[in-house]
């Protein structure tokens, strides 16, 4: 998953070795969004790319539900979605 932002950089913090994440400074808001992964799903930062989050697990349904909960936590409301494209989006799917 990639972090996409135009002006305010999104800060991402892992909770307890990848069982969840904290999303800070989304659109400059002070609110901290906390998303916990499903059982059996582990998240980590990819060191080769700047703003990338990697989700790993054995069950495809649990990994995809965790990815969708991360993406839905950063929905933009009451703004024009054509202009405000900030968020966390799935960039690549694949087996490891």
């Amino acid at each position: 998953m990639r972090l996409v932002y135009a002006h305010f950089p999104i800060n991402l913090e892992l909770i307890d070795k990848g069982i969840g994440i904290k999303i800070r400074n989304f659109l400059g808001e002070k609110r901290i969004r906390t998303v916990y992964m499903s059982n059996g799903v582990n998240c980590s930062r990819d060191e080769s790319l700047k703003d990338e989050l990697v989700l790993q697990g054995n069950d495809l349904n649990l990994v995809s539900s965790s990815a969708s909960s991360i993406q839905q936590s950063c929905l933009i409301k009451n703004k024009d979605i054509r202009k405000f494209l900030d968020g966390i989006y799935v960039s690549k799917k694949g087996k490891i």
Side-chain angles (χ1 to χ4, degrees):
M1 301 186 79
R2 292 295 303 259
L3 282 68
V4 179
Y5 51 87
H7 183 68
F8 295 106
I10 300 171
N11 296 331
L12 195 70
E13 178 185 340
L14 296 176
I15 301 172
D16 293 333
K17 299 180 183 175
I19 64 165
I21 60 170
K22 285 186 180 180
I23 303 166
R24 299 176 192 265
N25 200 27
F26 178 69
L27 291 178
E29 296 175 347
K30 298 294 182 187
R31 179 179 161 219
I32 299 172
R33 293 167 167 84
T34 304
V35 180
Y36 288 99
M37 303 295 116
S38 301
N39 290 333
V41 178
N42 192 12
C43 62
S44 61
R45 299 287 300 256
D46 189 10
E47 300 300 326
S48 62
L49 293 173
K50 180 183 174 191
D51 293 324
E52 187 163 14
L53 182 69
V54 178
L55 300 178
Q56 296 176 345
N58 291 332
D59 191 3
L60 181 63
N61 290 330
L62 293 177
V63 173
S64 58
S65 68
S66 297
S68 67
S69 64
I70 292 171
Q71 185 172 359
Q72 288 175 357
S73 70
C74 293
L75 285 180
I76 299 174
K77 297 180 175 102
N78 300 326
K79 290 186 173 43
D80 188 8
I81 59 171
R82 296 171 292 178
K83 178 70 177 167
F84 293 93
L85 297 174
D86 296 3
I88 302 175
Y89 299 103
V90 175
S91 62
K92 184 172 60 171
K93 300 176 187 177
K95 297 180 182 178
I96 296 176

